[in-house]
Amino acid sequence: MHRAYQPLVPSTNKYLQKKWDQARFEEHRSKVHMARPMVDTKGFQKPAHLQLNMKKLQLQEERLATIERDNLILSTKLSDIMRSKGQVDHRNNYPERSLNVEKRHLELLLVTRENQAILERIEAQESDYRRQHWEEDWARTERLRDDIARYPRGVTNQQKNKRRVKFHGSEKDIFSKASGHSEESTGTSSLHEHTEQ
């Protein structure tokens, strides 16, 4: 068998060369079999806090507790129905009440107190305006107007008279002033006045 073996390198004894090559090959195969990878190919290891999700367990417990509470309420209602021979309680005589009525009442009292304090401060504040000064100033202005006026002021208010004027078959009262002008002071109205007199 060793005579048919063809070594890769020149050798004087094919039998020994085959034995050595076979031993070297077996050693190589054992090294390959025992070799460990240089790169970690195991993959990502899941963290411990993700392996046991406590939040999920808590939510499940809360859900189960809610279901148990609802079941207890339902069983209580069913037992009440069984004891009351199936009568239905359809009356809702519950008074309407707010959960924050006390807080709103306190806030209203606080706002009322603040408004009262503001009102007291406003009423206690003295005015910066002096009515007496205004009246004196107006009297001075009236005197100046009387001095400047060409004719006595206030006569026009005393000279109002009542005249009847006829417009197309109807009578209308026109209050004319001393100047002779009225609300309907036109040429035709003056003609009617002259004809009426």
Side-chain angles (χ1 to χ4, degrees), residues 127-137:
S127 176
D128 292 336
Y129 302 109
R130 297 291 180 266
R131 184 176 176 183
Q132 184 179 0
H133 294 174
W134 289 356
E135 290 177 353
E136 292 175 358
D137 186 46

Side-chain angles (χ1 to χ4, degrees), residues 2-163:
H2 64 279
R3 292 179 182 176
Y5 178 71
Q6 295 294 329
L8 295 174
V9 293
S11 60
T12 55
N13 193 341
K14 290 183 179 181
Y15 177 75
L16 291 176
Q17 191 64 38
K18 181 183 178 183
K19 185 177 179 181
W20 293 335
D21 290 344
Q22 190 69 27
R24 195 177 298 112
F25 179 72
E26 293 294 336
E27 184 181 0
H28 170 68
R29 291 298 299 169
S30 66
K31 286 182 179 180
V32 170
H33 182 67
M34 298 296 292
R36 294 288 178 264
M38 298 296 293
V39 180
D40 188 7
T41 58
K42 291 180 181 178
F44 179 71
Q45 186 177 3
K46 196 172 183 181
H49 70 281
L50 294 179
Q51 292 177 5
L52 183 63
N53 195 348
M54 299 300 292
K55 186 65 177 179
K56 185 177 180 181
L57 294 176
Q58 181 185 359
L59 293 175
Q60 287 179 354
E61 290 177 359
E62 291 177 357
R63 184 169 170 272
L64 291 175
T66 305
I67 292 172
E68 288 179 1
R69 182 175 58 82
D70 293 342
N71 290 338
L72 180 62
I73 293 171
L74 184 60
S75 63
T76 306
K77 289 182 180 179
L78 289 175
S79 64
D80 291 341
I81 291 172
M82 293 297 292
R83 284 198 304 270
S84 63
K85 298 180 181 179
Q87 295 178 355
V88 179
D89 184 13
H90 62 282
R91 294 177 180 83
N92 296 324
N93 298 324
Y94 305 116
E96 294 183 1
R97 56 176 185 159
S98 178
L99 296 176
N100 61 346
V101 63
E102 295 180 1
K103 182 179 179 183
R104 287 191 287 116
H105 184 65
L106 292 175
E107 289 179 355
L108 180 61
L109 289 177
L110 180 64
V111 171
T112 306
R113 286 196 207 100
E114 290 177 354
N115 290 342
Q116 288 178 352
I118 292 171
L119 180 61
E120 290 175 0
R121 287 200 300 270
I122 290 173
E123 290 177 348
Q125 184 69 29
E126 294 184 0
S127 176
D128 292 336
Y129 302 109
R130 297 291 180 266
R131 184 176 176 183
Q132 184 179 0
H133 294 174
W134 289 356
E135 290 177 353
E136 292 175 358
D137 186 46
W138 178 247
R140 195 180 315 113
T141 305
E142 286 288 325
R143 285 196 303 272
L144 289 175
R145 289 175 65 184
D146 290 339
D147 294 341
I148 294 172
R150 185 171 183 181
Y151 298 105
R153 296 176 64 247
V155 177
T156 55
N157 295 332
Q158 299 172 1
Q159 292 180 352
K160 286 184 180 177
N161 56 0
K162 194 172 184 182
R163 292 183 182 178

